[in-house]
Amino acid sequence: MREKKKHKLKWSKLYTFSCLRPGADDQADRLFGQPGFSRVVFCNEPRLHRSKPYKYSGNYVSTTKYNVVTFVPIALFEQFRRVANLYFLLAAILSLTPLAAFNRVSVVAPLVFVIGISMIKEAVEDWNRFLQDRKVNSRKVLVHAGEGLFVQKSWEDLAVGDVVKVSKNEYFPSDLLLLSSSYEDGLCYVETMNLDGETNLKAKRSLESTLSLDEEASFRDFRATIRCEDPNPSLYTFVGNLILNEETHSLTPAQILLRDSKLRNTEFAYGAVIFSGGDTKAVRNSTRSPSKRSRVERTMDRVIYLLFGVMVFISLVTAVGSAVFTMKSDVERWYLRLHGGDDELFDPHRAALSGFLQFVKALMLYGYLIPISLYVSIEVVKVLQAMMINNDLAMYDEATGKAVEARTSNLNEELGQVEMILSDKTGTLTCNQMEFRKCSIEGISFGGEVTEVDLAASRRMNIDVERHRFSLDGASDSTARSVEMLDLFTADGSTEKEGLSGGGCGGGKGRDSRVSVSEKERGIKGFNFRDGRLMDKMWIYRSNVGEMLMFFRVMALCHTGIPVEGEAGYEAESPEEVAFLVAARQFGFRFYQRTQSAMVVEEVDPMSGAEVMREYKLLNLLEFNSSRKRMSVIVRNEDGEIFLFCKGADEVIFDRLSDGGRTYQQATVMHLSNYAEDGLRTMVFAYRRVGASEYEKWSGVFAKAKASVGPERDELLESASDMIERDLILLGAVAVEDKLQKGVPECIDKLAQAGLKIWLLTGDKKETAVNIGFACSLLRHDMEQLHLSTSNEVQMKAKDAKEEIMIQLQRFNQMFIEEGEKSPFALVVDGKALELCLNTNLSEKFLSIAMICDVVICCRVSPKQKASITRRVKEYSGKTILAIGDGANDVGMIQEADIGVGISGMEGMQAVMASDFSLPEFRFLERLLIIHGQWCYRRISKMILYFVYKNVAFGLTLFYYNVFTGFSGQEFYDDWYMVMFNVLLTSLPVVALGVLEQDVSSDVCIKFPALYKHGQQNKCFSWKRILGWISNAILTSLILFTLPISILSPSALDRRGSPADASHLGAATYTCAIWAVNCQIALITSHFTWISHFLIWSSILSWYAFLSLYSDAYSAAAAYKVFPDQISAAPVYWLATLLVVAAALMPYFVHVAVRRSFYPADEDVIREMERTERDAAGESAVWEREQERSKRETQVGYSARVEAKIRHLKEQLQRKRKSFILSVTNSRQ
């Protein structure tokens, strides 16, 4: 049974992987026991780790902010970070004293309600995080329970020392020491995309001493001790020893399997837990969930400080006025009998004390200047906004069945102020699926699908870009020349100014037939190629069939893949190799079988067209790595001929070509340039025949280098490989597409038009990142690329590397000065250069240059570096940063950013659990920001400004009345009037405003993404606007107080001539205030719904209903019967209400009328166009002009790239015209 499960391939005999090298580290022995190297692990004996000194953390991992013990103190701390809550806590305490201005219940109850609602919201959100944690911690894994028996346990139950069995495509539950695998020599493949973003599989190999542990029963008596480094965040280093059977074996990173990486292409692997839970390197690379607050909320705190300052000022005025009034009243107002009284608030002999007590009372009396219900209203509104975001069907992905989820509602409005996006690549922008797209064989390009950029440019210019490109590539046949002549005289850049709405990747009904077919139409995963010259075996009829045969053999033999059952049919170290194997199969070269020393290919015989089996003996495999940038296989065919097949980066292969092997180099270079511009990954194919004697001589050198031990081993292997990889013959090149997620280019285009800068942070190599930059339209061909990197010669010398980086930064700065804004810039930074820039005094210089560039691409960055660059950019620029990623390697970046977005894709839930918002795919970020973000920002801004307005307008009437009554501290309104003002009578319309308001519709937001810039510039919540609303509130308060008193004081309320007393004046003024603030919200509402109307007018009616019921209650005291029997029967009361409300609203109405008539904002113009249904079809020049304005300053994105392509084609056409005219003129002469 075991033999059926075991793979018979001993890969170490074929490969030269660095993980297979023998090694010993004498220096490591001296480190153990020292600080940083004190960990001891008893393998298969977890019970020894239950007590100190060997007790280590469990494997439970949490991303929550609170636990049962810390929730109350931390949540209360978060609530009382808000200055308003602190004030109301003080007011609640003072309400228990005799100085209370109002009933203590009316003061304490609102505070408890506000704090309670906020804490409940925090608890619910953290509970959701806890549930997500449970999903991860409850994953199952097989664990050795003793006597050779493995049982399933949850991840959270694992302990250091446990031996686990991980099956194919499962994640590693903790950091493990690899003991053995399904391969006989202990090799296994690991996908680390969750950790470093790299898609290539990593080969890991166990020590030879543990290879015998390949069955469950073999662990019955297994015991070993590991002495190693302490927990640390370094993903690429490990120092340790394994003591087994009294022998010590050195451990390297090649034997370590990290948590959150995945086992691939290997049936199973056994490992011993070294680090668990918070000690694992993946978790060490993450940070605790921070407490995030939006920019609007921080500004709101400063507004509260301002209002608090105003309240303190008028309280001081009241205190001074009261003291002066009390001293004068002792003589002038003798009838008040203040002298000899026991009321300390009015003691003429202790005026200072009376003034101080009046000051304290005034702080409570004027408390309505501080809107206590603002916070709870905002909390409620944000929760409802989050529910609307979660239920937006336009952000539901049918393919995965997942929708957008707002995991916290604290940052809704921050979505409308994002200025920079830091994005991961793999799994975020791309699907991690490679597709074979194009190839160049003997200088001829095949697979002529045009890109969407080419197609859109051809529509705009009314030419065939595809044929034009081929004519420029040097096609020499008569057809191409006739096409070229036709293009020269028919193309006109001014013809047919067609929009780009049909040119997106989504395509439209007019989608060009040459654009690559969709996967549904194709039906072949990994193959997106169409060219009748090669498909269906048509290549066998071409004249150069011999070279094509060699080209396809390179594709079918030069790889690390193995045939498997499944959709693609193959598995390999990298997805590119799988795409090559699928393409080779489609061209008639099916990789059929791999044995220990042979590879079998079912290939087409070009003579007969029949499919025949051919076996190639595999002699050597020289692996691909980041320094070699190439891979080679040496095989012997059935005729005994030896061939070296090589593939790799263009610059590396071109340097190794023979003089006679460069025939097609110029044409290939041109094709490679075009492929790269289309965002495709390229690789060059070459081969050579190797003589038998030459191979025998080289094989001895290579075997000696492979068997060497020591630091010079890599150098010897590279030297030996270089000997044979020479004098190559160029065959051509291939281009594969790292398939973007649906809608990524269009999303980036809209985000760029909205004024957002996008940085790409990836663990992949530079070439891959640049290709993706082109594919998703972050880069374009006319963009100046600035490459910041360290050369290989100085990588080990920090001082020299720093000087080199400084020289490059100075050169970039000089380029900015010389070229200015003439051309866009893109900065491409590798991981080592980035580390130097962030950890030295070069940081500010680097960031200043990076902020100037239109695009920044950081390659080979670790999770820690992602978090570091996010933090540094946020601190340096002060901009609102959004980070988006899909894996555990993105968690630190997501948590450091102002807004963290996780992609709920295929790579676990770590990024989602750490995020503030989760998306099924990147494309939904467009709608989340440009629509919901813009709406939420404008809604919250309007809501806060309105709250400030209504509370200031209402609260100042108390101050005016206090002045009017001689600073007596007398209440103007009944206690329950005060409670009802914020709790019922004005709270619901503002909730409707915060949830339902739309300055412009969703369609208009997408058509005019430049409107989003108002949030970036904080136009809706600027201090200018804040102070304007406070001024409006002050003016309204004056009108609300003076007019009712002026109208009602000299008038009789009934036929008996009864004058209005304080209760009548209070009720009448309160009525005017309720009408004014509710009508004001009607004026600022742009999007009315039946809910808005109902809540506004029902709030006003509720006041009359409440007053009627409350007036009939005996407990109403002074308000008893004040409405039904007194003021409601007086016509002057109703007339005063009408006049006062109209006067109070007039200043705002006039202001808005003047501004919209003479100084309209962008949204005013667009809203007017939308509401009048003018230009709704997009055909008017006005509508088109407004749309073009949003694209004018954009340097990044699909639209900018199309414009750049058009300029490039115009220049080429102009040169061709001149050349053609000149040649005709010369021929006539």
Side-chain angles (χ1 to χ4, degrees), residues 679-700:
L680 305 178
R681 295 191 188 188
T682 58
M683 195 168 285
V684 175
F685 286 0
Y687 82 104
R688 64 166 294 199
R689 283 183 170 86
V690 183
S693 59
E694 180 187 1
Y695 175 75
E696 290 299 327
K697 181 180 178 181
W698 174 85
S699 181

Side-chain angles (χ1 to χ4, degrees), residues 620-670:
N620 297 93
L621 190 150
L622 311 178
E623 89 284 359
F624 187 99
N625 59 42
S626 58
S627 59
R628 281 171 43 79
K629 296 185 178 180
R630 65 189 185 276
M631 172 190 174
S632 300
V633 294
I634 303 175
V635 299
R636 179 184 283 121
N637 65 12
E638 295 171 341
D639 297 329
E641 296 176 304
I642 299 176
F643 291 91
L644 181 143
F645 295 136
C646 184
K647 66 181 180 183
D650 50 2
E651 71 274 9
V652 174
I653 301 299
F654 291 156
D655 288 343
R656 285 165 171 72
L657 296 178
S658 65
D659 293 337
R662 301 177 181 271
T663 308
Y664 315 109
Q665 183 173 349
Q666 184 176 356
T668 303
V669 168
M670 186 174 294

Side-chain angles (χ1 to χ4, degrees), residues 21-34:
R21 74 184 64 169
D25 194 346
D26 295 333
Q27 185 179 2
D29 291 332
R30 296 192 297 270
L31 294 174
F32 297 127
Q34 303 297 320

Side-chain angles (χ1 to χ4, degrees), residues 11-17 20 189 557-561 573 577 591 594 596 599 617-625 628 630-635 644-645 647 695 698 702 706 717 721 724-725:
W11 299 107
S12 56
K13 295 184 178 180
L14 303 177
Y15 291 69
T16 59
F17 293 123
L20 305 178
Y189 292 103
L557 293 170
C558 189
H559 58 80
T560 61
E573 279 190 40
E577 290 192 335
F591 176 57
R594 184 195 290 272
Q596 178 65 44
M599 303 174 76
K617 185 175 181 181
L618 180 60
L619 302 178
N620 297 93
L621 190 150
L622 311 178
E623 89 284 359
F624 187 99
N625 59 42
R628 281 171 43 79
R630 65 189 185 276
M631 172 190 174
S632 300
V633 294
I634 303 175
V635 299
L644 181 143
F645 295 136
K647 66 181 180 183
Y695 175 75
W698 174 85
F702 184 72
K706 194 174 179 182
L717 282 172
S721 300
I724 198 74
E725 294 172 326

Side-chain angles (χ1 to χ4, degrees), residues 100-359:
F102 303 106
N103 183 287
R104 65 188 61 178
V105 175
S106 66
V107 177
V108 174
L111 176 65
V112 173
F113 178 75
V114 168
I115 299 298
I117 291 294
S118 299
M119 290 180 64
I120 290 172
K121 172 182 165 293
E122 284 290 316
V124 170
E125 291 179 350
D126 210 52
W127 177 256
N128 291 332
R129 295 189 189 95
F130 170 76
L131 294 179
Q132 292 285 1
D133 290 341
R134 289 293 300 165
K135 288 182 180 179
V136 174
N137 290 314
S138 60
R139 288 176 179 173
K140 301 297 182 181
V141 67
L142 289 173
V143 182
H144 185 228
E147 302 300 322
L149 179 65
F150 279 74
V151 298
Q152 281 196 341
K153 282 187 179 182
S154 299
W155 279 23
E156 61 184 335
D157 296 328
L158 284 183
V160 171
D162 273 329
V163 174
V164 301
K165 180 181 181 180
V166 180
S167 300
K168 184 178 179 181
N169 293 329
E170 289 183 351
Y171 290 99
F172 298 116
S174 55
D175 292 350
L176 310 175
L177 169 66
L178 175 61
L179 299 174
S180 64
S181 73
S182 56
Y183 294 109
E184 285 188 345
D185 53 358
L187 187 74
C188 73
Y189 292 103
V190 175
E191 181 182 84
T192 60
M193 187 172 66
N194 246 358
L195 299 176
D196 55 21
E198 293 191 23
T199 57
N200 290 351
L201 301 185
K202 309 295 189 303
K204 303 283 186 177
R205 186 177 185 268
S206 65
L207 297 172
E208 291 186 8
S209 58
T210 61
L211 289 178
S212 60
L213 302 171
D214 54 1
E215 290 183 311
E216 294 184 358
S218 62
F219 287 93
R220 183 192 306 268
D221 301 318
F222 169 64
R223 299 291 185 274
T225 302
I226 300 172
R227 299 171 64 202
C228 64
E229 63 188 20
D230 292 338
N232 63 77
S234 176
L235 297 174
Y236 308 109
T237 61
F238 182 82
V239 178
N241 282 339
L242 174 70
I243 303 173
L244 177 64
N245 298 328
E246 298 183 355
E247 294 183 0
T248 301
H249 308 272
S250 295
L251 299 176
T252 69
Q255 286 87 47
I256 304 304
L257 308 174
L258 300 181
R259 179 187 172 106
D260 291 330
S261 53
K262 181 189 289 186
L263 184 66
R264 296 290 301 274
N265 293 6
T266 311
E267 294 302 321
F268 61 84
Y270 290 103
V273 177
I274 301 176
F275 299 122
S276 59
D279 292 341
T280 59
K281 293 180 180 289
V283 177
R284 290 266 167 166
N285 269 278
S286 65
T287 55
R288 297 292 299 172
S289 298
S291 178
K292 299 180 181 180
R293 302 183 71 206
S294 69
R295 187 190 302 182
V296 168
E297 189 172 351
R298 292 193 295 269
T299 303
M300 184 176 70
D301 280 347
R302 290 191 283 271
V303 173
I304 298 299
Y305 295 145
L306 175 62
L307 295 180
F308 188 78
V310 172
M311 185 182 66
V312 170
F313 173 74
I314 62 175
S315 297
L316 285 172
V317 172
T318 299
V320 173
S322 177
V324 173
F325 185 85
T326 299
M327 287 188 294
K328 290 185 177 181
S329 295
D330 188 32
V331 178
E332 298 176 4
R333 298 175 179 83
W334 55 268
Y335 51 85
L336 295 177
R337 297 183 180 179
L338 300 179
H339 183 72
D342 57 356
D343 190 350
E344 294 182 342
L345 289 171
F346 305 100
D347 189 346
H349 298 295
R350 292 188 293 176
L353 176 61
S354 297
F356 173 76
L357 295 177
Q358 286 286 6
F359 172 76

Side-chain angles (χ1 to χ4, degrees), residues 841-1111:
N841 55 5
L842 298 176
S843 177
E844 288 199 8
K845 184 72 173 177
F846 164 73
L847 290 173
S848 66
I849 289 175
M851 297 305 296
I852 295 174
C853 293
D854 299 282
V855 177
V856 177
I857 298 177
C858 300
C859 319
R860 293 291 187 187
V861 292
S862 67
K864 210 74 173 178
Q865 285 178 320
K866 287 186 176 183
S868 179
I869 189 65
T870 304
R871 181 172 60 256
R872 294 293 182 86
V873 170
K874 184 171 67 173
E875 292 172 354
Y876 176 83
S877 66
K879 297 179 181 295
T880 301
I881 309 295
L882 181 145
I884 180 170
D886 74 314
N889 60 316
D890 303 313
V891 168
M893 174 178 71
I894 286 172
Q895 292 180 336
E896 282 289 348
D898 295 299
I899 303 174
V901 178
I903 301 293
S904 53
M906 305 299 293
E907 299 306 321
M909 296 294 290
Q910 291 87 347
V912 170
M913 289 189 295
S915 68
D916 305 303
F917 298 87
S918 68
L919 306 176
E921 290 186 341
F922 182 88
R923 60 190 170 99
F924 296 118
L925 188 63
E926 173 189 344
R927 187 172 180 88
L928 181 66
L929 295 185
I930 296 179
I931 295 178
H932 288 286
Q934 187 174 177
W935 281 351
C936 289
Y937 166 70
R938 293 176 180 270
R939 288 165 176 168
I940 295 295
S941 298
K942 275 189 176 182
M943 183 179 174
I944 296 172
L945 292 173
Y946 172 74
F947 252 104
V948 171
Y949 163 82
K950 76 181 183 70
N951 277 69
V952 171
F954 178 71
L956 284 181
T957 59
L958 298 170
F959 172 65
Y960 302 148
Y961 183 73
N962 210 353
V963 175
F964 184 72
T965 57
F967 302 100
S968 61
Q970 183 178 350
E971 299 88 352
F972 191 24
Y973 308 115
D974 184 88
D975 287 1
W976 286 104
Y977 292 2
M978 305 289 286
V979 172
M980 296 300 293
F981 181 80
N982 281 322
V983 172
L984 178 65
L985 303 180
T986 62
S987 59
L988 296 180
V990 76
V991 171
L993 178 74
V995 177
L996 304 174
E997 171 68 345
Q998 296 179 17
D999 279 16
V1000 291
S1001 67
S1002 58
D1003 292 338
V1004 171
C1005 289
I1006 294 297
K1007 287 181 179 178
F1008 302 99
L1011 291 174
Y1012 185 85
K1013 295 179 182 179
H1014 291 183
Q1016 297 170 339
Q1017 298 162 3
N1018 201 23
K1019 286 188 175 180
C1020 296
F1021 201 57
S1022 63
W1023 279 104
K1024 178 181 178 181
R1025 186 161 293 195
I1026 292 169
L1027 295 176
W1029 274 96
I1030 292 176
S1031 301
N1032 183 33
I1034 294 173
L1035 188 57
T1036 300
S1037 66
L1038 286 169
I1039 295 172
L1040 288 176
F1041 180 76
T1042 57
L1043 285 187
I1045 289 182
S1046 300
I1047 294 173
L1048 296 177
S1049 292
S1051 306
L1053 287 180
D1054 53 30
R1055 295 179 181 178
R1056 299 191 301 271
S1058 302
D1061 59 17
S1063 61
H1064 300 139
L1065 291 176
T1069 304
Y1070 192 92
T1071 301
C1072 294
I1074 294 297
W1075 270 95
V1077 297
N1078 280 291
C1079 289
Q1080 178 67 64
I1081 202 172
L1083 286 179
I1084 64 175
T1085 300
S1086 302
H1087 177 70
F1088 275 102
T1089 64
W1090 69 266
I1091 298 176
S1092 305
H1093 279 293
F1094 173 77
L1095 293 179
I1096 291 173
W1097 310 121
S1098 64
S1099 295
I1100 297 174
L1101 294 176
S1102 297
W1103 157 241
Y1104 291 109
F1106 166 77
L1107 188 56
S1108 299
L1109 296 174
Y1110 182 63
S1111 297

